[in-house]
Amino acid sequence: MPDYRPDPTLGNLRPSEIGIVDLASPFPGQRLGEILVGRGALRPDRLDRALWLQQSVGQAAGPLGRILLDEHLATRDAVDAGLALQRGVWQAPVSADGLEIEIIHPFGADRCLRHRLLPWRSRNGTVIVATARPASFEALRPDLEKAYGRVTMAIADEAAIIDTLVASCGEALVARAEARPERAHSVRGFSRLGLFSALLGVGLCLALTASVAPVILLNCLLGLAALALLSMSLLKLAALFACRRPPKVQIAIPPDIALRLPRISLLVPLLDEAAISGALVKRLRALEYPSDRLDVTLIVEASDTGTPGSLTRATLPPNWRIVTVPRGTVRTKPRALNYGLDFAEGDIIGVYDAENAPEPDQLRRIVAQFAVAAPDTVCLQGRLDFYNPRQNWLARCFTIDYAAWFRIVLPGIARLGLAVPLGGTTPFFRRAALEELGRWDAHNVTEDADLGIRLARAGYRTEMADTTTFEEANCRAMPWIRQRARWLKGYALTWAVHMRHPLRLWRDLGPRKFLGFQILFLGTTLLFLLAPLMWSLLALPLGLAHPATALPTGVLTGIVALFIGAEFINLVVNLRAVQTAKDRWLTGWTLTMPLYFPLAAIASYRALFGIALAPTQWEKTPHGLSLEAVRPPRPGIPRSDAGGSRKHG
């Protein structure tokens, strides 16, 4: 290991003149563990354990200092002092007071936060970079030298580095969070005026055609609705057949990985969730995963005054942090996720919502599946289910809807090799791939589905995970319509974003995935917008006049048969989806689903107006109607063995 000493180019400046502490007693050639033991800061037996872990796990274990902190074998102050002594560098008491903020910008505040370093002071042409992770500094030295020229290292407290960056660069950090991913793959590439003009143009064309040839227009739209219905029905049927055999369940973590489990970071964006945040903390604390390998980032908005206080009263564990997102140009969940990711430390990133109740062994199942998955599998999507299906009729239908989607359609899509539109909660990512793709689109209100498509375009795979997260069914009519309108608005905008360059999308996805994308995103949108035309065919048996009578008899008969066949497929998929011990009682309620889907048609028109008037507006779903925490064990599947909060912003 190189012997690092204070850079001589700083001249004859005394440490006190630049605000740092010179330990003046380097230990050249000695290892960190030897220094800490020699200073009485580490017991020899604890050093032996850390070295054994480092040797057994290899590079994945990380540097010794990190192991000592993760395993609670030494204090952070002791490790920081030992690193400074070992490398012969200063310790810097960083804070926002006296910080030369302008020297941060060339490297980027978000990169500094992610790598836990801080360009702190500039003296005699040398930039002093404070860090708690010398190995990261060395890995980034070429980039730092490219940005600053000559650099030298100083050791600083990691929490102080984070606090200083947040206090000094909050606006820059939130601006970066809003600018992800690149404009070509983001809704922000569309102007609000452009979207409004496009929809207005389509509406005027339809109105003009209706005034000239109304029957022809209605029958053309009816044919388009029939095509969308046929495509979606065939996709559901294919998914049903693809799921006829359950997947093999992998719950055992390989021994080499179990020795030192990967670090998982959970991101939990919250907005006006004071009523439910206490239940959330209790549910997440029940996760069976070593606390030293898990960190939880609770992300709140600056405008939210109630949630932070409620979280603080809940007494958060030391490995949890509250991060406050400054005000910006948009206020969306993906913006909050982009901002919060820089605080997270894990190699695996998971996302939960405020009302979630994940199964206790969920994280171990995720680790086990990632361990045996192919390298190109970078995302695992867990199942979602509801813990309040008995609340009312709408909750029952929503439960059936979710069961069909997460137990039949999404698993079938994954097995068919199509691009998987992710759910908003319980996706888990390999961090490197998430960073490579530019994270979430801060301007897309279905950032999850969009990210699933971008993963597929980059050649990555998404698999369904054999684990369930329970959440609260949105079971009041208007909130349900607003939520579904947001989803449909996001689907339509996601389709528009990726279809900017259709040929490029075709090359990225290939013919099969391209077709699946059209069915899932364009087909879903058209299906609900044009559903009233299909339902209008019910006027024919009543002897009422209908423009469809102008169609050839064979064509009209085919459309009616398609309508009946699609309803039968929906019924079969719904029945198959609820055949579990938990949901079998819903079997009879599947017959009422035709009364449930008209709500989605109403939502589709609200989505249309949303695209025209407020494409990035996030209509929040209210939570807390049912605080029942349900964690039913899955029969027949054994559980795997389980092996002061910080606030920023």
Side-chain angles (χ1 to χ4, degrees):
M1 184 176 292
D3 174 21
Y4 293 93
R5 298 180 179 279
D7 198 303
T9 59
L10 292 177
N12 297 320
L13 290 171
R14 294 190 301 274
S16 59
E17 292 181 90
I18 50 177
I20 55 183
V21 178
D22 185 1
L23 295 178
S25 55
F27 287 66
Q30 288 198 29
R31 298 178 181 274
L32 175 62
E34 295 171 349
I35 295 172
L36 294 178
V37 170
R39 302 183 76 218
L42 179 65
R43 295 202 322 243
D45 61 315
R46 293 190 171 190
L47 174 60
D48 290 342
R49 170 170 170 75
L51 292 174
W52 174 78
L53 273 173
Q54 189 177 47
Q55 183 178 9
S56 300
V57 181
Q59 186 176 2
L64 181 65
R66 191 69 193 171
I67 297 175
L68 293 172
L69 293 174
D70 288 344
E71 300 292 325
H72 305 291
L73 301 175
T75 67
R76 183 173 293 277
D77 287 344
V79 171
D80 287 348
L83 288 171
L85 287 166
Q86 179 195 29
R87 294 177 177 254
V89 299
W90 292 306
Q91 279 190 280
V94 300
S95 69
D97 296 335
L99 176 69
E100 299 173 10
I101 299 176
E102 64 277 2
I103 66 174
I104 296 176
H105 301 317
F107 194 70
D110 58 318
R111 292 181 72 190
C112 291
L113 183 57
R114 186 163 69 252
H115 296 292
R116 304 299 195 259
L117 55 81
L118 175 67
W120 182 53
R121 301 280 174 87
S122 178
R123 292 293 185 273
N124 294 348
T126 298
V127 172
I128 304 169
V129 179
T131 181
R133 304 177 181 181
S136 295
F137 173 89
E138 283 308 315
L140 293 167
R141 179 184 281 274
D143 292 341
L144 289 166
E145 290 177 342
K146 183 177 180 181
Y148 300 114
R150 192 185 300 276
V151 295
T152 189
M153 183 201 314
I155 300 297
D157 177 70
E158 186 167 301
I161 290 175
I162 295 173
D163 290 341
T164 301
L165 284 167
V166 169
S168 305
C169 305
E171 291 185 5
L173 289 169
V174 80
R176 183 70 179 118
E178 293 178 359
R180 295 177 184 272
E182 61 184 62
R183 183 174 291 272
H185 294 152
S186 171
V187 171
R188 77 180 187 281
F190 297 123
S191 69
R192 183 175 300 184
L193 179 60
L195 290 171
F196 178 82
S197 300
L199 290 177
L200 180 62
V202 171
L204 290 175
C205 288
L206 290 175
L208 180 62
T209 306
S211 66
V212 176
V215 174
I216 294 177
L217 174 63
L218 286 174
N219 285 331
C220 287
L221 292 177
L222 186 62
L224 186 60
L227 179 61
L229 183 61
L230 175 63
S231 300
M232 185 60 70
S233 298
L234 291 176
L235 180 63
K236 287 183 178 180
L237 197 59
L240 183 65
F241 278 100
C243 292
R244 65 188 182 276
R245 293 182 181 178
K248 295 181 179 180
V249 178
Q250 167 70 30
I251 60 172
I253 299 175
D256 58 328
I257 294 177
L259 189 63
R260 184 163 169 81
L261 294 169
R263 181 180 292 276
I264 296 179
S265 290
L266 302 179
L267 303 181
V268 189
L270 305 169
L271 176 62
D272 299 329
E273 301 290 5
I276 202 172
S277 56
L280 168 71
V281 171
K282 190 178 299 182
R283 292 163 179 170
L284 295 186
R285 292 188 74 158
L287 287 168
E288 299 167 356
Y289 204 75
S291 61
D292 59 284
R293 308 307 297 157
L294 174 69
D295 68 83
V296 179
T297 302
L298 304 167
I299 312 168
V300 299
E301 297 286 340
S303 59
D304 183 356
T305 58
T307 305
S310 178
L311 291 171
T312 302
R313 289 191 297 272
T315 311
L316 304 183
N319 56 320
W320 295 33
R321 61 173 66 86
I322 301 173
V323 170
T324 302
V325 187
R327 299 175 188 270
T329 60
V330 294
R331 190 178 70 174
T332 61
K333 175 183 173 181
R335 181 190 82 133
L337 290 171
N338 286 338
Y339 186 88
L341 182 57
D342 284 326
F343 295 85
E345 301 184 64
D347 298 316
I348 297 175
I349 305 295
V351 178
Y352 288 130
D353 283 340
E355 79 280 19
N356 285 173
E359 290 181 316
D361 68 345
Q362 184 166 104
L363 301 186
R364 287 185 171 270
R365 287 178 170 268
I366 293 296
V367 168
Q369 189 165 343
F370 265 136
V372 298
D376 63 346
T377 299
V378 299
C379 179
L380 300 178
Q381 172 64 59
R383 290 187 300 267
L384 301 182
D385 201 347
F386 294 126
Y387 51 69
N388 61 325
R390 298 180 184 271
Q391 195 156 348
N392 57 26
W393 171 77
L394 187 55
R396 294 180 179 90
C397 290
F398 204 174
T399 302
I400 297 169
D401 188 9
Y402 252 38
W405 184 250
F406 284 99
R407 296 178 191 166
I408 304 295
V409 178
L410 280 189
I413 287 172
R415 292 195 188 188
L416 291 169
L418 304 180
V420 178
L422 303 177
T425 180
T426 320
F428 290 85
F429 306 92
R430 297 189 197 270
R431 181 173 188 152
L434 186 59
E435 298 281 10
E436 175 192 334
L437 292 179
R439 309 186 185 186
W440 296 269
D441 181 3
H443 297 257
N444 193 323
V445 294
T446 52
E447 79 296 334
D448 40 16
D450 166 71
L451 183 54
I453 301 305
R454 286 195 283 124
L455 286 170
R457 293 189 69 169
Y460 292 124
R461 294 179 56 200
T462 296
E463 293 181 1
M464 297 300 294
D466 182 38
T467 181
T468 301
T469 293
F470 295 90
E471 60 183 21
E472 182 181 55
N474 189 359
C475 55
R476 292 184 297 176
M478 281 310 301
W480 190 98
I481 289 172
R482 286 195 293 268
Q483 182 187 61
R484 191 57 60 104
R486 171 164 57 83
W487 294 353
L488 291 171
K489 177 172 71 172
Y491 262 49
L493 288 172
T494 297
W495 179 84
V497 166
H498 290 279
M499 284 295 288
R500 281 193 182 110
H501 304 286
L503 291 179
R504 188 181 304 169
L505 180 65
W506 175 283
R507 289 194 298 268
D508 289 346
L509 293 179
R512 182 171 54 177
K513 290 181 182 177
F514 181 87
L515 179 61
F517 170 78
Q518 302 301 326
I519 295 173
L520 279 171
F521 287 83
L522 180 60
T524 297
T525 304
L526 292 176
L527 188 60
F528 287 117
L529 285 172
L530 301 177
L533 288 179
M534 298 296 293
W535 298 331
S536 71
L537 295 176
L538 296 174
L540 295 176
L542 302 177
L544 301 176
H546 194 285
T549 55
L551 293 171
T553 303
V555 173
L556 182 58
T557 302
I559 292 176
V560 172
L562 170 63
F563 181 73
I564 296 172
E567 287 300 315
F568 178 74
I569 290 173
N570 284 336
L571 178 62
V572 172
V573 169
N574 291 335
L575 285 172
R576 177 69 181 84
V578 298
Q579 296 311 303
T580 64
K582 172 184 173 292
D583 291 334
R584 195 168 288 118
W585 66 278
L586 290 167
T587 297
W589 292 99
T590 59
L591 298 174
T592 70
M593 291 298 284
L595 303 176
Y596 164 81
F597 284 109
L599 291 174
I602 297 172
S604 69
Y605 291 99
R606 184 181 179 92
L608 204 61
F609 283 102
I611 293 172
L613 302 176
T616 63
Q617 180 179 346
W618 187 280
E619 293 198 273
K620 183 187 178 302
T621 302
H623 301 131
L625 298 178
S626 173
L627 293 178
E628 179 186 7
V630 178
R631 299 181 183 282
R634 287 166 295 173
I637 300 179
R639 296 287 184 186
S640 55
D641 294 333
S645 69
R646 289 179 289 171
K647 183 173 181 179
H648 301 288

PDB file of all heavy atoms in Angstrom, residues 76-97:
ATOM      1  N   ARG A  76     -16.441   4.485  14.285  1.00  0.00           N
ATOM      2  CA  ARG A  76     -16.101   5.261  13.101  1.00  0.00           C
ATOM      3  C   ARG A  76     -14.955   6.223  13.382  1.00  0.00           C
ATOM      4  O   ARG A  76     -14.054   6.396  12.552  1.00  0.00           O
ATOM      5  CB  ARG A  76     -17.325   6.024  12.596  1.00  0.00           C
ATOM      6  CG  ARG A  76     -17.075   6.794  11.312  1.00  0.00           C
ATOM      7  CD  ARG A  76     -18.347   7.396  10.766  1.00  0.00           C
ATOM      8  NE  ARG A  76     -19.267   6.374  10.326  1.00  0.00           N
ATOM      9  CZ  ARG A  76     -19.224   5.772   9.133  1.00  0.00           C
ATOM     10  NH1 ARG A  76     -18.259   6.093   8.283  1.00  0.00           N
ATOM     11  NH2 ARG A  76     -20.107   4.858   8.796  1.00  0.00           N
ATOM     12  N   ASP A  77     -14.945   6.851  14.552  1.00  0.00           N
ATOM     13  CA  ASP A  77     -13.853   7.771  14.892  1.00  0.00           C
ATOM     14  C   ASP A  77     -12.510   7.054  14.895  1.00  0.00           C
ATOM     15  O   ASP A  77     -11.501   7.578  14.407  1.00  0.00           O
ATOM     16  CB  ASP A  77     -14.105   8.410  16.261  1.00  0.00           C
ATOM     17  CG  ASP A  77     -15.222   9.446  16.216  1.00  0.00           C
ATOM     18  OD1 ASP A  77     -15.586   9.875  15.103  1.00  0.00           O
ATOM     19  OD2 ASP A  77     -15.733   9.806  17.294  1.00  0.00           O
ATOM     20  N   ALA A  78     -12.499   5.840  15.448  1.00  0.00           N
ATOM     21  CA  ALA A  78     -11.251   5.086  15.505  1.00  0.00           C
ATOM     22  C   ALA A  78     -10.774   4.714  14.108  1.00  0.00           C
ATOM     23  O   ALA A  78      -9.576   4.811  13.789  1.00  0.00           O
ATOM     24  CB  ALA A  78     -11.428   3.834  16.357  1.00  0.00           C
ATOM     25  N   VAL A  79     -11.714   4.283  13.254  1.00  0.00           N
ATOM     26  CA  VAL A  79     -11.337   3.893  11.889  1.00  0.00           C
ATOM     27  C   VAL A  79     -10.832   5.104  11.112  1.00  0.00           C
ATOM     28  O   VAL A  79      -9.816   5.027  10.402  1.00  0.00           O
ATOM     29  CB  VAL A  79     -12.529   3.228  11.174  1.00  0.00           C
ATOM     30  CG1 VAL A  79     -12.220   3.029   9.687  1.00  0.00           C
ATOM     31  CG2 VAL A  79     -12.856   1.881  11.811  1.00  0.00           C
ATOM     32  N   ASP A  80     -11.534   6.238  11.237  1.00  0.00           N
ATOM     33  CA  ASP A  80     -11.096   7.450  10.530  1.00  0.00           C
ATOM     34  C   ASP A  80      -9.685   7.854  10.960  1.00  0.00           C
ATOM     35  O   ASP A  80      -8.823   8.173  10.127  1.00  0.00           O
ATOM     36  CB  ASP A  80     -12.066   8.600  10.803  1.00  0.00           C
ATOM     37  CG  ASP A  80     -13.388   8.424  10.070  1.00  0.00           C
ATOM     38  OD1 ASP A  80     -13.460   7.543   9.191  1.00  0.00           O
ATOM     39  OD2 ASP A  80     -14.348   9.154  10.379  1.00  0.00           O
ATOM     40  N   ALA A  81      -9.443   7.847  12.270  1.00  0.00           N
ATOM     41  CA  ALA A  81      -8.112   8.215  12.763  1.00  0.00           C
ATOM     42  C   ALA A  81      -7.064   7.220  12.277  1.00  0.00           C
ATOM     43  O   ALA A  81      -5.949   7.603  11.890  1.00  0.00           O
ATOM     44  CB  ALA A  81      -8.122   8.285  14.291  1.00  0.00           C
ATOM     45  N   GLY A  82      -7.407   5.931  12.267  1.00  0.00           N
ATOM     46  CA  GLY A  82      -6.464   4.918  11.804  1.00  0.00           C
ATOM     47  C   GLY A  82      -6.137   5.073  10.330  1.00  0.00           C
ATOM     48  O   GLY A  82      -4.973   4.917   9.917  1.00  0.00           O
ATOM     49  N   LEU A  83      -7.141   5.392   9.515  1.00  0.00           N
ATOM     50  CA  LEU A  83      -6.896   5.598   8.088  1.00  0.00           C
ATOM     51  C   LEU A  83      -5.974   6.793   7.859  1.00  0.00           C
ATOM     52  O   LEU A  83      -5.075   6.754   7.011  1.00  0.00           O
ATOM     53  CB  LEU A  83      -8.228   5.814   7.360  1.00  0.00           C
ATOM     54  CG  LEU A  83      -9.119   4.583   7.211  1.00  0.00           C
ATOM     55  CD1 LEU A  83     -10.495   4.978   6.679  1.00  0.00           C
ATOM     56  CD2 LEU A  83      -8.486   3.547   6.295  1.00  0.00           C
ATOM     57  N   ALA A  84      -6.211   7.862   8.618  1.00  0.00           N
ATOM     58  CA  ALA A  84      -5.351   9.041   8.471  1.00  0.00           C
ATOM     59  C   ALA A  84      -3.918   8.721   8.871  1.00  0.00           C
ATOM     60  O   ALA A  84      -2.962   9.135   8.204  1.00  0.00           O
ATOM     61  CB  ALA A  84      -5.914  10.188   9.313  1.00  0.00           C
ATOM     62  N   LEU A  85      -3.751   7.977   9.962  1.00  0.00           N
ATOM     63  CA  LEU A  85      -2.409   7.603  10.402  1.00  0.00           C
ATOM     64  C   LEU A  85      -1.727   6.689   9.397  1.00  0.00           C
ATOM     65  O   LEU A  85      -0.543   6.838   9.080  1.00  0.00           O
ATOM     66  CB  LEU A  85      -2.486   6.917  11.767  1.00  0.00           C
ATOM     67  CG  LEU A  85      -2.793   7.824  12.961  1.00  0.00           C
ATOM     68  CD1 LEU A  85      -3.175   6.983  14.171  1.00  0.00           C
ATOM     69  CD2 LEU A  85      -1.590   8.699  13.281  1.00  0.00           C
ATOM     70  N   GLN A  86      -2.472   5.725   8.905  1.00  0.00           N
ATOM     71  CA  GLN A  86      -1.903   4.762   7.973  1.00  0.00           C
ATOM     72  C   GLN A  86      -1.384   5.441   6.708  1.00  0.00           C
ATOM     73  O   GLN A  86      -0.305   5.114   6.204  1.00  0.00           O
ATOM     74  CB  GLN A  86      -2.960   3.719   7.595  1.00  0.00           C
ATOM     75  CG  GLN A  86      -2.464   2.680   6.601  1.00  0.00           C
ATOM     76  CD  GLN A  86      -3.624   1.913   5.978  1.00  0.00           C
ATOM     77  OE1 GLN A  86      -4.723   2.434   5.847  1.00  0.00           O
ATOM     78  NE2 GLN A  86      -3.363   0.680   5.606  1.00  0.00           N
ATOM     79  N   ARG A  87      -2.141   6.396   6.201  1.00  0.00           N
ATOM     80  CA  ARG A  87      -1.790   7.017   4.934  1.00  0.00           C
ATOM     81  C   ARG A  87      -1.023   8.318   5.110  1.00  0.00           C
ATOM     82  O   ARG A  87      -0.643   8.952   4.129  1.00  0.00           O
ATOM     83  CB  ARG A  87      -3.062   7.246   4.108  1.00  0.00           C
ATOM     84  CG  ARG A  87      -3.701   5.910   3.710  1.00  0.00           C
ATOM     85  CD  ARG A  87      -4.997   6.102   2.968  1.00  0.00           C
ATOM     86  NE  ARG A  87      -5.531   4.815   2.553  1.00  0.00           N
ATOM     87  CZ  ARG A  87      -5.521   4.344   1.301  1.00  0.00           C
ATOM     88  NH1 ARG A  87      -4.951   5.056   0.350  1.00  0.00           N
ATOM     89  NH2 ARG A  87      -6.036   3.179   1.016  1.00  0.00           N
ATOM     90  N   GLY A  88      -0.821   8.724   6.364  1.00  0.00           N
ATOM     91  CA  GLY A  88      -0.051   9.926   6.610  1.00  0.00           C
ATOM     92  C   GLY A  88      -0.707  11.177   6.074  1.00  0.00           C
ATOM     93  O   GLY A  88      -0.041  12.040   5.500  1.00  0.00           O
ATOM     94  N   VAL A  89      -2.040  11.261   6.225  1.00  0.00           N
ATOM     95  CA  VAL A  89      -2.763  12.436   5.753  1.00  0.00           C
ATOM     96  C   VAL A  89      -3.468  13.094   6.925  1.00  0.00           C
ATOM     97  O   VAL A  89      -3.485  12.587   8.045  1.00  0.00           O
ATOM     98  CB  VAL A  89      -3.779  12.062   4.654  1.00  0.00           C
ATOM     99  CG1 VAL A  89      -3.067  11.458   3.458  1.00  0.00           C
ATOM    100  CG2 VAL A  89      -4.845  11.105   5.181  1.00  0.00           C
ATOM    101  N   TRP A  90      -4.044  14.249   6.654  1.00  0.00           N
ATOM    102  CA  TRP A  90      -4.725  14.994   7.688  1.00  0.00           C
ATOM    103  C   TRP A  90      -6.150  14.487   7.912  1.00  0.00           C
ATOM    104  O   TRP A  90      -6.731  13.828   7.059  1.00  0.00           O
ATOM    105  CB  TRP A  90      -4.804  16.475   7.298  1.00  0.00           C
ATOM    106  CG  TRP A  90      -3.487  17.182   7.287  1.00  0.00           C
ATOM    107  CD1 TRP A  90      -2.594  17.249   8.304  1.00  0.00           C
ATOM    108  CD2 TRP A  90      -2.936  17.932   6.213  1.00  0.00           C
ATOM    109  NE1 TRP A  90      -1.509  18.004   7.942  1.00  0.00           N
ATOM    110  CE2 TRP A  90      -1.695  18.436   6.655  1.00  0.00           C
ATOM    111  CE3 TRP A  90      -3.362  18.243   4.921  1.00  0.00           C
ATOM    112  CZ2 TRP A  90      -0.885  19.225   5.859  1.00  0.00           C
ATOM    113  CZ3 TRP A  90      -2.565  19.031   4.121  1.00  0.00           C
ATOM    114  CH2 TRP A  90      -1.328  19.504   4.583  1.00  0.00           C
ATOM    115  N   GLN A  91      -6.707  14.852   9.052  1.00  0.00           N
ATOM    116  CA  GLN A  91      -8.136  14.722   9.290  1.00  0.00           C
ATOM    117  C   GLN A  91      -8.754  16.106   9.177  1.00  0.00           C
ATOM    118  O   GLN A  91      -8.247  17.065   9.773  1.00  0.00           O
ATOM    119  CB  GLN A  91      -8.433  14.138  10.669  1.00  0.00           C
ATOM    120  CG  GLN A  91      -8.315  12.614  10.717  1.00  0.00           C
ATOM    121  CD  GLN A  91      -8.838  12.058  12.019  1.00  0.00           C
ATOM    122  OE1 GLN A  91      -8.150  12.088  13.029  1.00  0.00           O
ATOM    123  NE2 GLN A  91     -10.065  11.554  11.983  1.00  0.00           N
ATOM    124  N   ALA A  92      -9.832  16.202   8.432  1.00  0.00           N
ATOM    125  CA  ALA A  92     -10.449  17.500   8.156  1.00  0.00           C
ATOM    126  C   ALA A  92     -11.804  17.592   8.841  1.00  0.00           C
ATOM    127  O   ALA A  92     -12.687  16.780   8.567  1.00  0.00           O
ATOM    128  CB  ALA A  92     -10.620  17.683   6.649  1.00  0.00           C
ATOM    129  N   PRO A  93     -12.009  18.571   9.714  1.00  0.00           N
ATOM    130  CA  PRO A  93     -13.312  18.775  10.361  1.00  0.00           C
ATOM    131  C   PRO A  93     -14.246  19.550   9.439  1.00  0.00           C
ATOM    132  O   PRO A  93     -14.494  20.746   9.625  1.00  0.00           O
ATOM    133  CB  PRO A  93     -12.945  19.588  11.607  1.00  0.00           C
ATOM    134  CG  PRO A  93     -11.742  20.372  11.189  1.00  0.00           C
ATOM    135  CD  PRO A  93     -10.985  19.519  10.221  1.00  0.00           C
ATOM    136  N   VAL A  94     -14.778  18.880   8.420  1.00  0.00           N
ATOM    137  CA  VAL A  94     -15.559  19.579   7.395  1.00  0.00           C
ATOM    138  C   VAL A  94     -16.902  20.040   7.954  1.00  0.00           C
ATOM    139  O   VAL A  94     -17.497  19.407   8.830  1.00  0.00           O
ATOM    140  CB  VAL A  94     -15.788  18.680   6.161  1.00  0.00           C
ATOM    141  CG1 VAL A  94     -14.468  18.282   5.540  1.00  0.00           C
ATOM    142  CG2 VAL A  94     -16.591  17.446   6.526  1.00  0.00           C
ATOM    143  N   SER A  95     -17.375  21.143   7.427  1.00  0.00           N
ATOM    144  CA  SER A  95     -18.709  21.664   7.714  1.00  0.00           C
ATOM    145  C   SER A  95     -19.034  22.673   6.635  1.00  0.00           C
ATOM    146  O   SER A  95     -18.169  23.064   5.833  1.00  0.00           O
ATOM    147  CB  SER A  95     -18.762  22.319   9.097  1.00  0.00           C
ATOM    148  OG  SER A  95     -18.000  23.508   9.111  1.00  0.00           O
ATOM    149  N   ALA A  96     -20.286  23.111   6.609  1.00  0.00           N
ATOM    150  CA  ALA A  96     -20.698  24.079   5.599  1.00  0.00           C
ATOM    151  C   ALA A  96     -20.068  25.442   5.836  1.00  0.00           C
ATOM    152  O   ALA A  96     -19.915  26.226   4.895  1.00  0.00           O
ATOM    153  CB  ALA A  96     -22.219  24.199   5.585  1.00  0.00           C
ATOM    154  N   ASP A  97     -19.693  25.716   7.078  1.00  0.00           N
ATOM    155  CA  ASP A  97     -19.067  27.001   7.393  1.00  0.00           C
ATOM    156  C   ASP A  97     -17.673  27.069   6.762  1.00  0.00           C
ATOM    157  O   ASP A  97     -16.813  26.226   7.033  1.00  0.00           O
ATOM    158  CB  ASP A  97     -18.951  27.184   8.902  1.00  0.00           C
ATOM    159  CG  ASP A  97     -20.308  27.249   9.577  1.00  0.00           C
ATOM    160  OD1 ASP A  97     -21.272  27.631   8.896  1.00  0.00           O
ATOM    161  OD2 ASP A  97     -20.400  26.892  10.770  1.00  0.00           O
TER     162      ASP A  97
END
